[in-house]
Amino acid sequence: MSRNIREVPAQTPFTTFNGNSYPTTSALKSAVWTPQTPIDLESVRSRHIRYGRNRLEEVTEGYIFRTTKEGVPYRLSQTDQGDIRVEASTDQDLQDAVEESRIRFGEGLPYSPLAEVAERVPAVADQLRRMPGYRVPVNPASFEVLISSISAQQVNMKWAHTTLYRLIETFGTRMELELMQWWRFPSPERLALIDPSEISALQYTNRKASYIVGVAKAVADGCLSGIEEEGNETVIRRLVALRGVGVWTAEWFLARCLGRPDAVAAGDLGVRKVVSRYVMGVEDEVFPEPEVRAAVESWGDGTNWAIHLLLERWAEEHSR
């Protein structure tokens, strides 16, 4: 493990399940890593209840339980010093979980370009002061990100989450660790064999159901192989070749799956709203994609993080 990751003795804390507290009984392997900038685990947890319960993770007092993209169950907590504690069943599982947890907390996104954007954009600076431990939610599970994006096309986020988690519970795999239960996202091989009508029965449109099965077949056949090594334009070109995947989905894939620091889904309505309101200073107009893209063009590698901070600001203001 790298020098800022250290193995620590297994812990025996109490965990909460169905309203009751139980001592953990298995000797989980444990490691702690120090983030490049402070992380607020509570701000991460708060996103799990914004649109409803997240079937892919179980959140209990002090812990987040989840699964790596390869199927390894693990749990996360935060030490009093602000480090991230990762626990899993075996040494190899622990190594995989540590590596993925660093990705999911956006450790690959550089902070200094964000600080430079904050110096020039007051709204970014203000939100950074209010949420100093906020990180971009990066998810390296590429198939999951694509299907989640298709689920969110042309519907509000609450309904997107509702249909997505029906899909997960119907075709996914139940996971368990330390008395907690949650779900692993369905594999592309599994969804590739599903009749689209079974997905439509979950209240997806017929078109979206067809898209999901088609993307599953393509991914199962290796269409995403090596995509993480490609440049942004090549990634977009490869993704939009898939039926049901447009530039909007491809740019969110760059931002939230590959964690590209300069990525922005400039055609997204939410992104257009926050840039129009907080960057361009207009409250009653939503500027078109080209003008939004031009407004953030100089942000460089601070773009992804800054846009997500502005989206958090919008969510706070419109949840009151």
Side-chain angles (χ1 to χ4, degrees):
M1 294 188 179
S2 66
R3 57 189 175 86
N4 69 331
I5 302 173
R6 56 192 184 279
E7 294 184 359
V8 297
Q11 303 294 299
T12 310
F14 284 81
T15 191
T16 303
F17 184 57
N18 286 345
N20 298 309
S21 293
Y22 302 88
T24 59
T25 55
S26 64
L28 294 176
K29 304 289 184 178
S30 181
V32 170
W33 58 269
T34 302
Q36 60 172 330
T37 59
I39 291 176
D40 178 10
L41 199 62
E42 287 303 311
S43 72
V44 175
R45 293 175 62 195
S46 68
R47 293 198 299 270
H48 296 261
I49 61 174
R50 180 174 297 162
Y51 303 113
R53 186 184 175 199
N54 187 337
R55 302 299 194 269
L56 294 173
E57 299 173 325
E58 183 61 48
V59 179
T60 188
E61 186 174 354
Y63 293 99
I64 297 176
F65 292 77
R66 59 167 54 140
T67 310
T68 70
K69 64 178 181 178
E70 302 301 334
V72 172
Y74 66 101
R75 73 178 179 187
L76 297 166
S77 58
Q78 192 161 28
T79 70
D80 292 340
Q81 293 74 35
D83 294 338
I84 302 300
R85 183 188 297 276
V86 185
E87 296 172 278
S89 298
T90 70
D91 289 333
Q92 184 59 57
D93 286 354
L94 181 62
Q95 181 176 337
D96 293 344
V98 166
E99 291 175 359
E100 182 157 319
S101 68
R102 290 170 63 89
I103 294 171
R104 283 181 174 268
F105 280 117
E107 279 287 286
L109 293 172
Y111 182 80
S112 57
L114 171 66
E116 292 174 6
V117 174
E119 289 178 357
R120 294 184 284 125
V121 183
V124 173
D126 183 61
Q127 195 64 19
L128 188 57
R129 283 191 295 269
R130 295 168 65 184
M131 302 182 71
Y134 175 80
R135 294 297 190 87
V136 175
V138 178
N139 182 356
S142 54
F143 178 64
E144 179 185 324
V145 171
L146 285 178
I147 300 305
S148 298
S149 294
I150 290 173
S151 298
Q153 291 173 358
Q154 298 180 326
V155 296
N156 65 56
M157 290 304 298
K158 188 171 183 179
W159 181 246
H161 277 63
T162 298
T163 54
L164 181 64
Y165 296 137
R166 288 174 183 170
L167 184 79
I168 292 166
E169 289 187 335
T170 303
F171 302 112
T173 304
R174 189 186 296 273
M175 307 297 295
E176 183 171 344
L177 183 71
E178 297 295 295
L179 301 176
M180 293 293 105
Q181 295 182 350
W182 68 100
W183 295 85
R184 183 186 179 191
F185 199 82
S187 69
E189 291 78 11
R190 172 84 168 100
L191 289 183
L193 299 176
I194 300 301
D195 189 290
S197 63
E198 295 183 60
I199 298 176
S200 300
L202 305 177
Q203 292 189 281
Y204 278 94
T205 65
N206 292 336
R207 179 173 293 180
K208 280 189 180 180
S210 177
Y211 290 164
I212 289 171
V213 173
V215 168
K217 290 178 179 178
V219 173
D221 288 341
C223 78
L224 297 183
S225 177
I227 199 167
E228 66 278 358
E229 305 297 330
E230 304 282 8
N232 290 359
E233 294 304 319
T234 302
V235 170
I236 292 172
R237 186 168 60 250
R238 287 179 62 176
L239 290 178
V240 298
L242 300 173
R243 184 169 175 265
V245 177
V247 173
W248 177 88
T249 300
E251 290 191 324
W252 275 127
F253 185 91
L254 286 171
R256 290 182 172 168
C257 180
L258 301 184
R260 299 290 168 85
D262 59 341
V264 55
D268 179 84
L269 180 58
V271 173
R272 290 170 54 210
K273 285 180 177 179
V274 299
V275 173
S276 298
R277 170 68 179 88
Y278 302 124
V279 181
M280 305 171 82
V282 177
E283 295 190 27
D284 57 356
E285 183 177 356
V286 179
F287 286 98
E289 177 182 345
E291 294 183 46
V292 168
R293 198 177 297 278
V296 303
E297 185 176 8
S298 65
W299 293 7
D301 285 348
T303 305
N304 193 354
W305 203 334
I307 288 293
H308 276 85
L309 280 167
L310 295 181
L311 289 169
E312 289 295 319
R313 185 183 185 90
W314 181 276
E316 287 180 4
E317 292 183 359
H318 290 79
S319 64
R320 297 168 185 169

